[in-house]
Amino acid sequence: VMDGAFVPNISYGVPICKAVNDYTDMFLDVHLMIEKPVRYAARFCESGADLVNFHVEADTQENILQAINIVKAHGKKTGVTLKPNTPAEAVLPYLPLVDLVLVMTVEPGFGGQSFMHEQLPKISMIRELIDTLAPMCELEVDGGVDPKTCKVCIDAGANVLVAGSAVFTAKVFNMVIGGGVLQSGGETKFMTAVNITGTWLFGVPLGLLSAYLFKLPIWWVYLILSLEEYVRVAISVRLLLSRKWM
C-alpha cells in the first residue's frame, strides 16, 4: 500500500484490500508504505488484513507502538519494516511485540528493482536478534527476490519471501519461486502462481486460425495475442489467490 508521500508512488488502498479479502481466504500480509500508519491501522484490519506491517521510518516510535497495539486489539498479526538505509537495531523497540520483521532489499516504491546484496548482513543480524529476543517472529525479505536471490535470503536467515516481478513478468509461471525455495531446503513460506497455457500454445494458433477462417486482417492476430495475455494473467492471479499461506 503506497500513499505517494512516504514513497513516490500510489497503489492499493482499503477498498482493494477488502475486495481481495472477499474473493479469497488466503493470508493477507498488508505492507503499509504510508506516512503515519496509525491513522489507517484499524481500517485495514477491518477490511480483511491478517497482518498489518508498518515502516519504522514512517512515524515516531510512540505512534508506531500505538499502531501495533491497534492491530493487536483487532486480533490481527503485526509487523515492522526497515528500508535499506535503516540499521538492524531499529527493530529492537518493537521486536518483542511483532509477529514479523520485513527487510527491504530495494528502495520501496517501485517493482522490478535489482536485489541489494549489501542488505544480507542486516538480514543475518536481525535473524540473530529474533532468535534471541522473539523466536516466534518471522523474518521476511521483499525486493528483487527471484529464484537465485531467494537462496541467499534463506541462507541469511529469512523464512518468508515476497516475489512480485519475478513471478508476474515470467512468460510461464512454473512455480519458479517455489522451486528456488525448495532447492534451498527449510520451511520458508512463499507464494507463487501457475500458468496453465502460453502464448505459443494458444494465442498464435488461435489468432492465425481466426484470421484464416473468417478472412480477417492480420491485425486480428495481434488483438488475439493481447487478449490471450490478459486471460493468462487473470488465470494466474486467480490461481495465486486460491493458494493458502504456506
Side-chain angles (χ1 to χ4, degrees), residues 38-168:
V38 66
R39 300 172 297 165
Y40 295 98
R43 291 183 62 189
F44 276 101
C45 290
E46 293 160 2
S47 70
D50 295 293
L51 183 151
V52 185
N53 199 353
F54 314 105
H55 271 266
V56 300
E57 309 92 354
D59 207 341
T60 64
Q61 179 177 319
E62 179 183 3
N63 285 343
I64 296 298
L65 289 171
Q66 183 182 351
I68 290 171
N69 289 332
I70 290 172
V71 173
K72 287 183 171 293
H74 280 78
K76 307 288 186 170
K77 295 181 180 294
T78 188
V80 289
T81 302
L82 276 64
K83 295 170 71 174
N85 289 332
T86 303
E89 294 81 6
V91 303
L92 288 173
Y94 315 104
L95 197 52
L97 304 173
V98 297
D99 302 284
L100 177 144
V101 173
L102 168 57
V103 177
M104 294 297 297
T105 44
V106 299
E107 287 294 340
F110 295 92
Q113 300 181 63
S114 298
F115 183 85
M116 300 172 67
H117 284 80
E118 60 270 27
Q119 296 302 307
L120 291 171
K122 182 163 73 176
I123 297 170
S124 297
M125 186 178 300
I126 293 176
R127 166 50 62 195
E128 293 179 4
L129 293 173
I130 287 174
D131 289 346
T132 301
L133 302 174
M136 298 303 292
C137 183
E138 311 273 14
L139 178 52
E140 184 176 64
V141 173
D142 182 4
V145 176
D146 60 29
K148 293 182 179 179
T149 57
C150 75
K151 297 179 177 64
V152 295
C153 293
I154 294 168
D155 291 343
N159 69 314
V160 182
L161 304 178
V162 177
S165 298
V167 173
F168 289 105

Side-chain angles (χ1 to χ4, degrees), residues 26 145 150 154 159-163 175-182 186-193 240 243-246:
M26 72 175 286
V145 176
C150 75
I154 294 168
N159 69 314
V160 182
L161 304 178
V162 177
M175 301 185 76
V176 289
I177 300 302
V181 170
L182 292 176
E187 298 181 352
T188 301
K189 299 179 176 69
F190 62 95
M191 293 178 288
T192 187
L240 173 63
R243 293 173 62 85
K244 301 287 187 179
W245 177 257
M246 300 181 64

Side-chain angles (χ1 to χ4, degrees), residues 169-201:
T169 60
K171 283 297 181 183
V172 178
F173 296 155
N174 60 350
M175 301 185 76
V176 289
I177 300 302
V181 170
L182 292 176
Q183 290 172 19
S184 296
E187 298 181 352
T188 301
K189 299 179 176 69
F190 62 95
M191 293 178 288
T192 187
V194 180
N195 184 21
I196 65 173
T197 186
T199 299
W200 64 278
L201 287 176

